[in-house]
Structures are given as C-alpha cells and as structure tokens.
Amino acid sequence: MTHISQIKIFIPYTNIQEATLISLIGYNYTPVKVEGDYGYSNYFKERWQEKQTFINLEHDIVVYPGALKALWECPREWCVYDYHL
C-alpha cells in the first residue's frame, strides 16, 4: 500500500493557483518554475533523465481525493487523467 509521502509530485508552473495548492494539503510536492521558450520541455527532459516515476501536475488543476494515489499505483507505463471542464 502506498503512503502519500512516497508519491513524487512535480508542478511545473508560471503561477500556481491557490486551489491547486489547497487540493495538495498533506502531499509533498516540488514546484518547478518554467521560464522561456523551452522551460516546459526542459522540465520534462530533467524528469526523464532522472529515470524515476513521477506525477506531473499542472499548476491550474485541482485534484480530487484519491486521484494521486490511484495514479501513482497505476500498473501501466503511462497513466493520465483527463481534464473535466
């Protein structure tokens, strides 16, 4: 069973929304400021070079309870949730 402290969450951002931060109460996460034309692609390049499982959370997304744990425990190589508008 996964404990939430084991989940590696990264938030690439230009401006993290307060609602996003509120939805992450209790989770450890790493904000990563992305700047310039290649900031976002460089962010992903760094993650992939680390060769570690991670969750990418966009700076304007509010996660519902249990979503990050379910995503972390997904048995496939690539797992995503779509945006509900």
Side-chain angles (χ1 to χ4, degrees):
M1 173 155 267
T2 301
H3 187 272
I4 62 173
S5 66
Q6 297 171 301
I7 301 173
K8 287 184 102 168
I9 303 167
F10 291 89
I11 306 173
Y13 75 94
T14 54
N15 180 27
I16 301 176
Q17 300 300 303
E18 185 174 349
T20 300
L21 297 176
I22 290 170
S23 74
L24 291 172
I25 290 174
Y27 286 92
N28 294 320
Y29 58 88
T30 303
V32 180
K33 185 147 181 89
V34 293
E35 298 178 297
D37 293 339
Y38 301 102
Y40 195 65
S41 59
N42 287 337
Y43 154 78
F44 275 107
K45 183 179 178 183
E46 290 172 12
R47 300 291 73 74
W48 292 326
Q49 287 175 340
E50 292 171 354
K51 298 182 185 208
Q52 299 288 319
T53 300
F54 70 98
I55 292 176
N56 178 70
L57 180 64
E58 298 297 329
H59 64 212
D60 57 352
I61 296 299
V62 174
V63 295
Y64 61 86
L68 295 173
K69 185 173 181 289
L71 194 57
W72 188 256
E73 293 176 347
C74 175
R76 297 181 183 98
E77 284 190 42
W78 289 78
C79 299
V80 300
Y81 281 114
D82 63 351
Y83 299 115
H84 294 283
L85 302 175

